[in-house]
Amino acid sequence: MSDTLVVNEIYLSLQGESTFAGLPCIFIRLTACDLRCSYCDTAYAFTEGKKKTLAEVLEKVHALAAPFKNPSLITRHSSLPLVELTGGEPLLQKNTLPLMRSLGDDGFTVLIETSGAHDISKVDPRVHRIMDLKCPASGEVERNLFSNIPHLKATDEIKFVIGTHEDYAWAKQQIAAHKLASICPLLFSWVHPLTPEQQSKILKKVPAGLTPISRRELAEKIIADALPVRFQIQQHKIIWPPEQRGV
């Protein structure tokens, strides 16, 4: 069996989202995705990438992590940097699973960003699974695999990407219907508008009749409804140009 993955990029930056936001993180962006969400800002990862062995990927991760292993810098956060597998959709490639096991064995805190359209049950239990539930404006709401919910643990996170008032209402309904707040942290991520460079023609269109929501409106709705969620904005798009890669 081949021990390779198709990798778009591997780089060190700051985690821009989730409950880990702000921490140093090595990102392993894998190639390919079978969804075409309307707001996708990494459409370049659908096809761009090079085949690498698991050994090559691990070697690159350890090289990027090396500066954090300086004995004079060791703190209670000595497991930094984090390592996140993202995409694309990481779970489309079967060798993602042994890679995550190896990273865990090497002492890394591992995260995976996944669309929620694929089975998460086989992911190493040490991994923090950040799983989307796709809202109506994504154009992919029918792809949600609700059978994943029973597999979620307290160390996982559910992310709703909110671009419209209808997305907000739908997410609020799912939280109540599935009692999601009792399972793991919930993230409401506002849709940052795509730049012209990011507007791929192969993405789904936002369904007609939906009403855009501003980040202020989203924040104020969360407060007014006393929702048990974490409002988040993609921090890396505030620090660097939104279309910049490798950050």
Side-chain angles (χ1 to χ4, degrees):
M1 182 176 69
S2 172
D3 68 341
T4 61
L5 287 163
V6 184
V7 179
N8 177 269
E9 56 185 348
I10 303 175
Y11 60 94
L12 174 65
S13 186
L14 297 179
Q15 177 58 245
E17 303 180 75
S18 80
T19 63
F20 295 90
L23 293 174
C25 184
I26 296 169
F27 292 88
I28 304 171
R29 187 179 303 285
L30 299 177
T31 301
C33 186
D34 55 343
L35 273 64
R36 295 292 182 265
C37 298
S38 62
Y39 47 72
C40 182
D41 56 4
T42 54
Y44 58 86
F46 293 166
T47 56
E48 296 177 17
K50 294 183 179 179
K51 189 175 290 188
K52 295 182 181 292
T53 65
L54 297 187
E56 289 173 326
V57 173
L58 290 168
E59 181 181 14
K60 177 66 171 180
V61 169
H62 280 281
L64 291 172
F68 292 85
K69 308 309 176 185
N70 184 330
S72 66
L73 299 178
I74 296 297
T75 69
R76 66 186 182 91
H77 293 301
S78 58
S79 59
L80 292 177
L82 309 168
V83 179
E84 177 175 293
L85 281 75
T86 186
E89 171 50 65
L91 292 180
L92 281 178
Q93 299 192 52
K94 64 181 183 298
N95 282 327
T96 298
L97 299 177
L99 174 61
M100 288 188 285
R101 286 196 295 270
S102 294
L103 289 166
D105 291 344
D106 289 346
F108 288 103
T109 297
V110 183
L111 322 177
I112 182 171
E113 284 263 7
T114 180
S115 66
H118 297 275
D119 180 18
I120 64 169
S121 66
K122 296 179 176 62
V123 173
D124 188 293
R126 295 170 293 182
V127 173
H128 299 265
R129 297 169 296 190
I130 303 167
M131 188 191 83
D132 278 16
L133 281 178
K134 298 298 184 185
C135 297
S138 69
E140 296 284 17
V141 69
E142 73 283 353
R143 295 295 304 275
N144 287 314
L145 192 64
F146 286 98
S147 58
N148 275 328
I149 292 175
H151 297 294
L152 292 167
K153 309 186 306 295
T155 53
D156 298 322
E157 304 181 11
I158 299 171
K159 181 172 72 173
F160 296 90
V161 180
I162 309 288
T164 68
H165 286 268
E166 292 77 12
D167 287 346
Y168 179 85
W170 184 88
K172 184 178 173 182
Q173 181 183 38
Q174 303 313 308
I175 291 170
H178 299 282
K179 298 180 172 59
L180 300 180
S182 67
I183 299 174
C184 63
L186 306 177
L187 312 171
F188 272 25
S189 183
W190 180 69
V191 174
H192 196 289
L194 297 178
T195 65
E197 294 84 356
Q198 295 172 319
Q199 292 172 358
S200 173
K201 294 180 180 179
I202 63 176
L203 300 180
K204 295 285 184 69
K205 300 296 183 184
V206 175
L210 304 188
T211 307
I213 190 170
S214 70
R215 57 189 174 191
R216 176 173 174 173
E217 287 173 324
L218 176 55
E220 290 177 347
K221 274 184 169 290
I222 291 170
I223 294 167
D225 290 344
L227 287 190
V229 304
R230 178 185 294 262
F231 172 76
Q232 62 173 20
I233 296 175
Q234 295 172 296
Q235 291 186 14
H236 49 290
K237 292 185 178 180
I238 298 172
I239 301 170
W240 294 283
E243 71 279 3
Q244 186 167 328
R245 302 188 190 184
V247 295

